């Protein structure tokens, strides 16, 4: 049943199958950190036990202001995403629609495509300083680099038959772009935006590595340098939880914007 290629598994097995690797990971974690500090396989300095991580939550919440830092990081991700997507989507539509725009912008996009995201940290620091603007612009550049090829691909995937039909009916170039290419590609662009927003939570640690007085990345960096190490793992769990909730919001909105996708 479980090893048949591309065969659906029974619905009642979905929850147990999803919980199994999580419980296994927790079991291995507990085994590696069991007992007194000197008897453990891994030192508490390297990996605290699940219990030690759990009981440190109140100090993270109250003393380190976890909720306030989460709001700060979420705001940075949202603003950076809006700036990056606000540039990437129009550029991607132009590149996907017009070969001249594609030829003009391709060298720049290829250069950015091969640029490691961490390299943007010193680049944005030299251009924008170390204050809030640098963090937002770092995220914006990261989002732009990630989203642009996905938007171009979404436009490229629109079948030419729709364009031919539109021009046969007398559509102008502007109408063909807006009402054919963008209209048909928009669900795929939305999926790219949703995926990109989730990826942004992987960038937030880099964005808050330098001169960040607040933010989830700042908590991780300070905890790594000064302790307690338990806060690193709790903050990572918080990032995953926030990313999961925001992804569910994107999914909920997508079902209402594109209900026909659910019917396919």
């Amino acid at each position: 049943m479980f090893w048949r290629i591309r065969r659906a598994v029974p619905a009642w097995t979905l929850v147990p199958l999803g919980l199994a690797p999580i419980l296994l990971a927790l079991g291995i974690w507990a085994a590696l950190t069991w007992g007194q500090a000197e008897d453990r396989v891994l030192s508490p300095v390297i990996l605290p036990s699940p219990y030690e991580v759990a009981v440190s939550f109140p100090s993270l919440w109250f003393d380190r202001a976890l909720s306030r830092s989460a709001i700060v990081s979420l705001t940075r991700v949202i603003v950076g995403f809006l700036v990056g997507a606000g540039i990437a989507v129009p550029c991607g539509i132009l590149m996907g629609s017009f070969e001249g725009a594609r030829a003009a912008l391709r060298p720049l996009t290829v250069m950015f495509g091969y640029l490691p995201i961490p390299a943007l940290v010193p680049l944005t620091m030299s251009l924008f300083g170390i204050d809030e603007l640098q963090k937002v612009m770092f995220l914006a550049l990261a989002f732009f680099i990630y989203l642009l090829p996905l938007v171009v691909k979404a436009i490229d995937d629109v079948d030419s038959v729709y364009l031919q039909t539109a021009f046969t009916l007398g559509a102008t170039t502007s109408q063909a772009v807006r009402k054919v290419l963008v209209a048909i590609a928009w669900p795929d662009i939305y999926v790219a935006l949703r995926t990109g927003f989730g990826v942004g939570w992987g960038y937030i640690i880099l964005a808050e590595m330098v001169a960040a007085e607040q933010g989830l990345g700042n908590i991780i960096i300070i905890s790594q340098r000064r302790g307690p190490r338990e806060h690193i793992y709790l903050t990572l769990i918080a990032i995953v939880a926030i990313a999961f909730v925001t992804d569910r919001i994107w999914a909920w909105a997508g079902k209402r914007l594109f209900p026909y996708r659910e019917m396919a």
Side-chain angles (χ1 to χ4, degrees):
M1 180 195 312
F2 296 107
W3 303 111
R4 293 180 181 177
I5 297 175
R6 294 186 177 178
R7 290 291 184 91
V9 297
W12 64 269
T13 64
L14 295 178
V15 173
L17 287 174
L19 287 175
I22 298 176
L23 295 176
L24 177 62
L26 287 174
I28 295 173
W29 181 6
L32 293 175
T33 57
W34 183 264
Q36 299 298 320
E38 59 274 10
D39 299 327
R40 296 183 184 183
V41 177
L42 292 178
S43 167
V45 177
I46 300 174
L47 182 65
S49 70
Y51 175 76
E52 291 166 342
V53 171
V55 297
S56 71
F57 180 76
S59 64
L60 176 63
W61 182 267
F62 294 107
D63 300 338
R64 307 288 291 277
L66 176 64
S67 59
R68 204 176 316 155
S69 293
I71 292 173
V72 170
S73 293
L74 177 61
T75 302
R76 287 170 177 157
V77 171
I78 291 174
V79 175
F81 175 81
L82 292 175
V83 174
I87 300 173
V89 172
C91 286
I93 292 172
L94 283 174
M95 292 178 67
S97 303
F98 304 103
E99 289 302 319
R102 189 192 298 259
L105 295 175
R106 182 184 292 276
L108 185 63
T109 57
V110 169
M111 181 188 71
F112 276 122
Y114 286 108
L115 185 67
I117 296 300
L120 296 177
V121 175
L123 175 64
T124 53
M125 288 174 60
S126 63
L127 293 174
F128 306 106
I130 60 173
D131 294 328
E132 193 67 22
L133 179 62
Q134 179 268 332
K135 295 163 182 56
V136 171
M137 293 308 299
F138 166 79
L139 290 169
L141 279 172
F143 280 124
F144 174 82
I145 292 170
Y146 181 85
L147 290 173
L148 183 61
L150 297 180
V151 177
V152 174
K153 184 180 184 302
I155 299 295
D156 284 342
D157 286 345
V158 177
D159 199 312
S160 296
V161 69
Y162 297 111
L163 280 176
Q164 295 168 3
T165 302
F167 286 130
T168 300
L169 295 174
T172 64
T173 300
S174 176
Q175 289 172 332
V177 172
R178 290 184 294 107
K179 298 186 177 182
V180 178
L181 291 178
V182 175
I184 296 175
W186 181 236
D188 291 329
I189 294 175
Y190 182 88
V191 171
L193 294 173
R194 172 185 171 184
T195 307
F197 190 84
V199 170
W201 287 101
Y203 300 148
I204 192 65
I205 307 300
L206 293 172
E208 296 176 342
M209 284 183 64
V210 180
E213 297 181 359
Q214 287 184 312
L216 297 175
N218 178 64
I219 292 179
I220 291 176
I221 297 300
I222 297 300
S223 298
Q224 188 272 331
R225 293 174 179 171
R226 305 176 187 173
R229 292 297 178 92
E230 292 83 355
H231 289 180
I232 297 175
Y233 301 95
L234 284 173
T235 305
L236 292 175
I237 293 172
I239 291 174
V240 172
I242 296 171
F244 176 79
V245 171
T246 53
D247 183 72
R248 291 300 88 199
I249 295 173
W250 277 94
W252 174 84
K255 289 180 180 179
R256 279 145 187 81
L257 289 171
F258 316 109
Y260 52 87
R261 280 293 184 99
E262 298 297 319
M263 299 170 59

